[in-house]
Amino acid sequence: MTDMTENRGGESETSAARRSPLVKRGGGDPGSRGRTTIADGVVEKIAGLAARDVDGVHAMGSGLSRTFGAVRDRVPGGAKSVTRGVKAEVGEVQAALDLEIVVEYGVSIADVARDVRENVITAVERMTGLEVVEVNIAVSDVKLPDEEEEEPERRIQ
């Protein structure tokens, strides 16, 4: 005589227990254990690069920030700031962005703004998984065809 009892399905309890799923330790999928935070600066870099990729965008930032940036770029070891003209507010699941751009003369500002918005939202959401709730764009200047980028350096003789 065996000490195994039969359950309603006709199987012994020991064979049913052997087929039961294993209990996972640690609370579920390993990919969901812990928290990921993304710094504002990371989102600003992604947005800055995505905005610069749009045809019709000449530069990012106001005239003053571009002037300081040009000086910083000339300093040995100084790197071009991809975050110039971009401000991000990043929460746990959402981000909001403010961009300041300079457009090329002759382009449709509305079309450029729409393209920048689409490109920035796509890049930030794809790379970070955050939901971009808004992208505010301020057009601070228009680059005229005959304007020089910066004043030429004066040489002392």
Side-chain angles (χ1 to χ4, degrees), residues 85-120:
V86 182
K87 176 67 180 137
E89 292 181 23
V90 179
E92 288 186 28
V93 294
Q94 296 179 327
L97 294 140
D98 294 323
L99 288 93
E100 190 169 0
I101 65 173
V102 176
V103 298
E104 299 281 346
Y105 176 79
V107 299
S108 165
I109 293 174
D111 289 346
V112 170
R114 183 194 66 240
D115 293 346
V116 166
R117 198 170 277 115
E118 288 175 1
N119 210 35
V120 166

Side-chain angles (χ1 to χ4, degrees), residues 5-139:
T5 59
E6 290 193 17
N7 62 13
R8 292 179 198 223
E11 296 178 340
S12 67
E13 287 180 21
T14 55
S15 63
R18 275 184 267 178
R19 286 199 324 240
S20 68
L22 295 174
V23 177
K24 291 184 182 179
R25 295 179 187 214
D29 178 34
S32 65
R33 296 181 199 171
R35 198 171 82 194
T36 302
T37 57
I38 300 171
D40 293 0
V42 172
V43 174
E44 289 169 355
K45 283 183 181 182
I46 295 167
L49 290 171
R52 284 174 175 78
D53 282 346
V54 174
D55 288 336
V57 174
H58 175 73
M60 301 286 296
S62 67
L64 185 60
S65 70
R66 290 194 327 269
T67 301
F68 285 131
V71 171
R72 186 177 53 243
D73 293 345
R74 288 187 185 140
V75 174
K80 206 171 204 175
S81 176
V82 295
T83 61
R84 185 181 314 143
V86 182
K87 176 67 180 137
E89 292 181 23
V90 179
E92 288 186 28
V93 294
Q94 296 179 327
L97 294 140
D98 294 323
L99 288 93
E100 190 169 0
I101 65 173
V102 176
V103 298
E104 299 281 346
Y105 176 79
V107 299
S108 165
I109 293 174
D111 289 346
V112 170
R114 183 194 66 240
D115 293 346
V116 166
R117 198 170 277 115
E118 288 175 1
N119 210 35
V120 166
I121 290 170
T122 300
V124 170
E125 288 184 346
R126 180 179 52 83
M127 292 183 69
T128 66
L130 296 168
E131 176 192 7
V132 178
V133 293
E134 67 180 2
V135 177
N136 299 311
I137 298 172
V139 179

Side-chain angles (χ1 to χ4, degrees), residues 9 104 110 144 149:
E104 299 281 346
L144 300 175
E149 182 64 28

